[in-house]
Amino acid sequence: MVDAPKDPLTDPSVWNSVAVAYDAAFSARTPELLDEALRDLSLREADEVLDLATGPGTLALAIAPRVKRIVAIDFAEQMITILKERLRARSIANVEPHVMDGQALTLPDASFDVAASMFGWFLFADRMRGLAELRRVLRPGGRLLVTSWMPSDRNAALGVMLDALRAAIPDMPKSAGPLPTQIPDVVAEELRAAGFENVTTRVVAVRAPFASVDEYWNVIIPASAPVVMLRKRLGDERWNAVAERARAHLREKLGDGAISIAIEAIYARATR
Ligand SMILES: C[S@@+](CC[C@H](N)C(=O)[O-])C[C@H]1O[C@@H](n2cnc3c(N)ncnc32)[C@H](O)[C@@H]1O
């Protein structure tokens, strides 16, 4: 039997290569996504929190003043390097950053009151193993939040870019439909199957503002792991031609002025 090809997004190297651009693109642009997480997490001062797949510390940095302790892990070393720099610059002492695979946590059982994975767990090669690890390290009654994106037709940040790239690359394969983690009921089912209780999901809609199509392109393209992989596959010459056509397509669709991109995400909560 031939093994299915490995999804490149399950390899830390691609996340290492986009870390600086990812941090610049997303950390401050959609604060509402963090506000919504704070609503769901109901944090308390005594909470010990695991931020799983923290990236450059998007959630960890925001909640550090509100809780006792945060362990922030990511399998991409460059993301953790950025987080460490931030922690030093802001003199934050209660966040412990570690390079670690979310599917094999080297953390003790029942050691956290809260575990969150914002736009991280859904990327795991073995999501059920990731959930088993999350459940293992949560204390009984501990709170879980995992977030993932809605499909590209409900998530213009991705959809607009895919449309533009498809306009420029006519033979680019069409997606075969939503991924499991883009369907709220499927996410809820996976959480229940992993043994979590009180599972609820909701769809959160926000808008990301950009001064122009060019700003959107310059910020999002280098930060988007799948597009960075596509660019590598095509090579510089083909990519430059594709980029020019895709940007023209975007300007035609969205105009020359400021744009506001609609983004929808799934927020799934549960308790252990
Ligand atoms: C889209 S980013 C989200 C980062 C951050 N949580 C946020 O909301 O901005 C996905 C992150 O998941 C990390 N990641 C993916 N698979 C992982 C795994 N198996 N273990 C740990 N981190 C992982 C990537 O390195 C990347 O930093």
Side-chain angles (χ1 to χ4, degrees):
M1 201 171 91
V2 181
D3 286 340
K6 194 174 161 223
D7 176 354
L9 292 178
T10 61
D11 190 311
S13 63
V14 64
W15 294 103
N16 279 325
S17 71
V18 300
V20 171
Y22 181 92
D23 181 45
F26 297 116
S27 290
R29 202 167 288 264
T30 47
E32 300 90 342
L33 290 174
L34 277 176
D35 295 343
E36 295 291 342
L38 290 178
R39 264 186 56 189
D40 280 348
L41 289 172
S42 313
L43 296 169
R44 299 172 200 140
E45 248 176 71
D47 278 340
E48 297 189 75
V49 180
L50 172 65
D51 181 9
L52 181 97
T54 186
T58 319
L59 178 70
L61 292 166
I63 63 175
R66 295 166 181 252
V67 298
K68 181 174 165 197
R69 167 180 178 247
I70 302 161
V71 173
I73 73 109
D74 200 287
F75 73 172
E77 199 170 352
Q78 291 306 316
M79 294 283 189
I80 293 298
T81 300
I82 295 174
L83 172 56
K84 284 184 177 165
E85 281 163 14
R86 291 276 138 76
L87 294 172
R88 248 194 315 271
R90 298 186 198 174
S91 304
I92 296 175
N94 64 339
V95 176
E96 299 161 28
H98 296 288
V99 177
M100 202 184 287
D101 186 338
Q103 299 159 118
L105 297 173
T106 50
L107 296 168
D109 293 357
S111 47
F112 295 95
D113 306 291
V114 173
S117 186
M118 294 195 67
F119 311 109
W121 158 78
F122 80 98
L123 295 159
F124 288 9
D126 188 342
R127 290 194 301 279
M128 292 315 285
R129 194 160 149 207
L131 289 179
E133 282 293 76
L134 281 163
R135 191 164 179 280
R136 179 181 69 75
V137 300
L138 268 176
R139 298 189 170 116
R143 291 106 73 199
L144 174 78
L145 173 70
V146 293
T147 68
S148 56
W149 302 116
M150 289 289 278
S152 57
D153 59 344
R154 300 271 300 270
N155 185 358
L158 185 65
V160 160
M161 186 161 59
L162 282 178
D163 281 353
L165 290 171
R166 263 200 202 102
I169 313 173
D171 56 350
M172 192 164 116
K174 275 213 175 320
S175 96
L179 299 171
T181 54
Q182 294 176 326
I183 304 169
D185 284 349
V186 175
V187 175
E189 210 32 66
E190 292 193 359
L191 264 51
R192 282 190 201 103
F196 284 99
E197 293 174 6
N198 303 309
V199 177
T200 58
T201 61
R202 66 191 178 107
V203 174
V204 166
V206 302
R207 298 193 81 90
F210 294 90
S212 62
V213 159
D214 283 343
E215 196 215 4
Y216 166 77
W217 186 267
N218 292 333
V219 166
I220 295 296
I221 292 294
S224 167
V227 180
V228 168
M229 289 182 320
L230 173 71
R231 178 179 187 161
K232 217 163 145 192
R233 270 203 310 278
L234 294 179
D236 277 348
E237 201 177 320
R238 177 127 194 250
W239 171 256
N240 289 340
V242 162
E244 201 175 310
R245 261 178 282 151
R247 278 164 88 130
H249 176 87
L250 279 177
R251 268 189 231 102
E252 213 173 280
K253 287 237 149 175
L254 302 175
D256 288 328
I259 59 173
S260 156
I261 302 281
I263 299 176
E264 290 190 6
I266 300 169
Y267 280 50
R269 289 161 63 180
T271 56
R272 187 199 153 164

